[in-house]
Amino acid sequence: MLEIRWHSRAGQGAITGAKGLADVVAGTGKEVQAFALYGSAKRGAAMTAYNRIDSEPILNHEKFMNPDFILVIDPGLTFITDICANEKPTTQYIITTHLSKEELIEKKPDLKGKKIYTLDCIKISIDTLGKPIPNAPMLGALMKVSGMLEIEFFKNAFKKVLGKKLSQKVIDANMLAIQRAYDEVQ
């Protein structure tokens, strides 16, 4: 089973990202879960979202997991929450930051020796969408790092998910954000 934990602030789109990922992956015939945990529902409050993906029925409905991927879409949460909680030796991190990997590890020594990928999802979302909603760029980075789905397949499937709610202009901007993050994650 593949497990993913998102660290975000309310309003940054982690729940929408987790649900969108689940919709796309469910279309491939896999079993999926997407859910969130947050205290105060105020915009800006720290929260987590989760995905589980498997070929078999998923019987575990608890929030506890040992994630394969930890996605941090708000750079500040890297330093004020325990993003490393319940990790496995093979857990991979995709972290939104303007810092280099070396600077990030220097400021957050807990990350030393871990498999870390970085990119600036906030900047990408502002540049492409005009606002700081970094969930789409994070999904692009996840596709690159995980190899879960081919990027063109993912973008085409995600367009259908977004098409239910958004204008073509916003969908196109999200596709740019996804592709740019896919290309920039390191």
Side-chain angles (χ1 to χ4, degrees):
M1 179 178 332
L2 183 71
E3 296 181 314
I4 301 166
R5 185 174 69 220
W6 301 65
H7 290 271
S8 177
R9 293 189 183 277
Q12 291 182 315
I15 296 171
T16 303
K19 287 180 179 179
L21 176 62
D23 285 348
V24 170
V25 172
T28 68
K30 299 252 186 198
E31 298 290 322
V32 297
Q33 287 181 349
F35 57 99
L37 178 68
Y38 46 91
S40 165
K42 292 188 227 175
R43 181 175 291 276
M47 50 87 52
T48 50
Y50 304 86
N51 288 105
R52 285 193 179 96
I53 302 168
D54 204 348
S55 298
E56 302 295 322
I58 301 170
L59 304 177
N60 179 357
H61 296 280
E62 296 183 24
K63 73 170 182 140
F64 179 80
M65 65 171 49
N66 299 109
D68 298 285
F69 293 94
I70 294 175
L71 313 178
V72 184
I73 66 174
D74 184 277
L77 294 177
T78 303
F79 305 104
I80 63 170
T81 62
D82 185 5
I83 64 169
C84 301
N86 303 314
E87 69 180 354
K88 304 191 279 196
T90 56
T91 297
Q92 298 179 60
Y93 293 80
I94 307 174
I95 300 174
T96 297
T97 182
H98 66 279
L99 302 172
S100 70
K101 285 184 195 178
E102 295 76 25
E103 292 170 321
L104 182 63
I105 292 168
E106 185 178 316
K107 291 180 182 276
K108 178 79 171 179
D110 294 359
L111 294 173
K112 187 174 177 123
K114 299 183 188 323
K115 189 67 176 169
I116 301 167
Y117 299 88
T118 60
L119 74 161
D120 194 340
C121 290
I122 302 284
K123 181 174 180 359
I124 292 170
S125 65
I126 290 171
D127 290 351
T128 56
L129 297 161
K131 51 187 160 182
I133 303 178
N135 59 347
M138 184 55 77
L139 287 168
L142 178 63
M143 290 305 110
K144 174 76 169 263
V145 170
S146 70
M148 182 184 312
L149 298 168
E150 293 292 327
I151 190 64
E152 290 305 319
F153 175 87
F154 178 78
K155 288 191 315 188
N156 287 328
F158 199 58
K159 279 181 195 176
K160 293 175 185 162
V161 171
L162 295 176
K164 299 174 187 173
K165 303 176 186 174
L166 302 174
S167 71
Q168 189 61 46
K169 181 180 177 184
V170 174
I171 292 169
D172 292 344
N174 274 279
M175 294 307 108
L176 286 172
I178 290 167
Q179 186 65 54
R180 186 167 153 193
Y182 182 90
D183 294 337
E184 291 180 19
V185 68
Q186 12 177 333

